[in-house]
């Protein structure tokens, strides 16, 4: 089953019900039920191997699943791949770059789902959106540079601009700040938050840094062994006693001790 491309007035959210998914016939995530409204940022937390990335891949329709995923009130077994790509965007952690594209060429890939045919050219509107997306992340002076010449933080901003150019309704972030300096982690998430709030986009992300989760999330779900064991605001989830049980360490006390060292 897949996220629908249709819109129904009055139901402005993503709903997931009784979702099961995994690999080779083994369920990694089990009985996932959640709802995310437009303009909300949801982060998924939990220890390694708990199913965070599997849940994102299910929502992105990269792996098969059982259950229902409804976007704006409609659930469909059939979708047009090209239209689906307009609605859902995935940004993952920085990996090795294997293609010698310029910043402009890389960001322009975000407009490909909107082209009318395989050999269609970018329209004036496409070009305008591409340049505006590059401007949003502060890389206009680098638009003709090869991305292989950029720093890790700059490359992630390029891929963020590509996501802006794609303009999806649902933004999926799979540990996008890994391997980035703290400054670039905050800048990247701040870009995403401002853009999502301004344009009423849904953001669902996986982060390991609970400080960033606390700062940027509207909602948080905590997974353990593939199931949701805690959900609510960041304050509710990160103050829940289950946090200590799931991570097998008193994270809250540890964070407070670190904070005291700054005073």
């Amino acid at each position: 089953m897949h996220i629908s491309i249709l819109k129904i007035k009055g139901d402005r959210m993503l709903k997931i019900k009784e979702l099961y998914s995994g690999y080779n016939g083994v369920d990694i995530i089990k009985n996932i039920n959640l709802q995310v409204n437009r303009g909300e940022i949801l982060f998924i937390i939990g220890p390694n191997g708990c199913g965070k990335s599997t849940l994102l891949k299910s929502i992105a329709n990269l792996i098969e699943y059982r259950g229902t995923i409804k976007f704006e009130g409609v659930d469909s077994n059939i979708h047009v791949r090209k239209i689906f790509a307009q609605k859902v965007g995935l940004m993952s952690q920085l990996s090795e770059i294997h293609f010698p594209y310029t910043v402009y060429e890389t960001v322009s890939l975000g407009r490909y789902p909107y082209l009318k045919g395989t050999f269609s050219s970018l329209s004036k509107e496409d070009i305008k959106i591409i340049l505006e997306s590059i401007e949003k992340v502060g890389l206009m002076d680098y638009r003709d540079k090869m991305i292989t010449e950029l720093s890790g933080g700059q490359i992630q901003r390029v891929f963020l601009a590509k996501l802006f150019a794609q303009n999806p309704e649902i933004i999926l972030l799979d540990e996008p700040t890994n391997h980035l300096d703290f400054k670039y982690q905050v800048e990247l998430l701040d870009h995403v938050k401002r853009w999502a709030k301004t344009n009423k986009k849904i953001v669902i992300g996986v982060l390991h840094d609970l400080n960033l989760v606390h700062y940027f999330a509207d909602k948080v779900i905590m997974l353990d062994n593939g199931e949701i064991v805690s959900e609510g605001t960041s304050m509710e989830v990160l103050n829940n006693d289950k946090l200590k049980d799931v991570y097998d360490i008193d994270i809250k006390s540890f964070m407070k001790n670190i904070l005291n060292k700054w005073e």
Side-chain angles (χ1 to χ4, degrees):
M1 296 184 180
H2 312 289
I3 301 172
S4 171
I5 63 172
L6 300 177
K7 294 185 179 181
I8 289 190
K9 189 175 180 180
D11 194 351
R12 310 282 287 172
M13 61 191 68
L14 174 71
K15 287 183 178 179
I16 297 175
K17 185 176 181 182
E18 297 176 359
L19 189 69
Y20 293 78
S21 185
Y23 311 93
N24 301 318
V26 179
D27 287 328
I28 303 299
I29 56 171
K30 308 152 206 171
N31 196 30
I32 300 296
N33 296 275
L34 63 89
Q35 174 178 306
V36 191
N37 299 320
R38 278 187 173 274
E40 286 186 334
I41 298 175
L42 168 79
F43 279 119
I44 307 164
I45 65 171
N48 288 335
C50 71
K52 301 185 296 295
S53 291
T54 301
L55 177 53
L56 277 193
K57 289 176 183 177
S58 299
I59 298 171
N61 195 28
L62 296 177
I63 58 175
E64 294 184 356
Y65 61 82
R66 307 188 313 279
T68 59
I69 297 177
K70 292 186 177 182
F71 178 52
E72 296 192 327
V74 179
D75 178 29
S76 175
N77 290 320
I78 300 173
H79 70 269
V80 179
R81 173 67 62 177
K82 183 175 179 180
I83 302 300
F84 180 82
Q86 296 176 11
K87 300 297 177 181
V88 181
L90 174 65
M91 183 175 178
S92 58
Q93 58 184 290
L94 182 65
S95 57
E96 186 177 354
I97 304 300
H98 295 284
F99 49 92
Y101 286 1
T102 65
V103 169
Y104 178 87
E105 290 168 337
T106 304
V107 176
S108 70
L109 295 175
R111 298 306 298 168
Y112 281 13
Y114 296 89
L115 297 183
K116 297 190 186 320
T118 305
F119 299 104
S120 299
S121 300
L122 294 167
S123 67
K124 289 182 179 180
E125 181 63 20
D126 289 324
I127 294 171
K128 177 184 176 185
I129 291 170
I130 292 165
L131 293 175
E132 287 176 347
S133 300
I134 295 172
E135 180 67 35
K136 278 186 181 115
V137 299
L139 290 176
M140 189 58 79
D141 291 341
Y142 295 83
R143 63 184 180 274
D144 296 321
K145 271 191 170 292
M146 309 300 290
I147 63 171
T148 50
E149 300 174 15
L150 303 181
S151 68
Q154 288 172 327
I155 292 172
Q156 282 297 70
R157 283 155 64 191
V158 172
F159 286 117
L160 180 59
K162 175 177 171 285
L163 193 67
F164 288 166
Q166 181 184 347
N167 194 29
E169 304 301 327
I170 301 171
I171 303 165
L172 305 175
L173 305 173
D174 192 2
E175 301 181 26
T177 60
N178 273 18
H179 312 303
L180 295 185
D181 292 341
F182 187 71
K183 173 188 174 183
Y184 294 123
Q185 293 180 35
V186 173
E187 283 185 354
L188 188 147
L189 292 173
D190 191 51
H191 277 306
V192 171
K193 181 174 182 176
R194 284 189 284 109
W195 187 69
K197 295 295 183 182
T198 300
N199 298 284
K200 296 297 181 184
K201 305 296 185 179
I202 290 173
V203 176
I204 302 175
V206 169
L207 284 181
H208 281 296
D209 191 322
L210 299 185
N211 288 311
L212 293 175
V213 170
H214 218 332
Y215 188 79
F216 286 102
D218 296 312
K219 293 181 179 178
V220 178
I221 62 171
M222 181 164 57
L223 298 184
D224 190 28
N225 294 318
E227 299 183 74
I228 296 177
V229 295
S230 181
E231 60 182 308
T233 65
S234 61
M235 187 67 71
E236 291 168 340
V237 173
L238 298 180
N239 279 289
N240 193 306
D241 290 339
K242 287 185 179 178
L243 185 71
K244 180 179 178 181
D245 297 334
V246 169
Y247 282 91
D248 196 27
I249 183 175
D250 190 346
I251 293 177
K252 184 177 177 181
S253 294
F254 180 73
M255 294 293 188
K256 284 184 174 180
N257 289 335
I258 291 177
L259 183 60
N260 287 335
K261 290 183 177 293
W262 287 92
E263 296 177 352

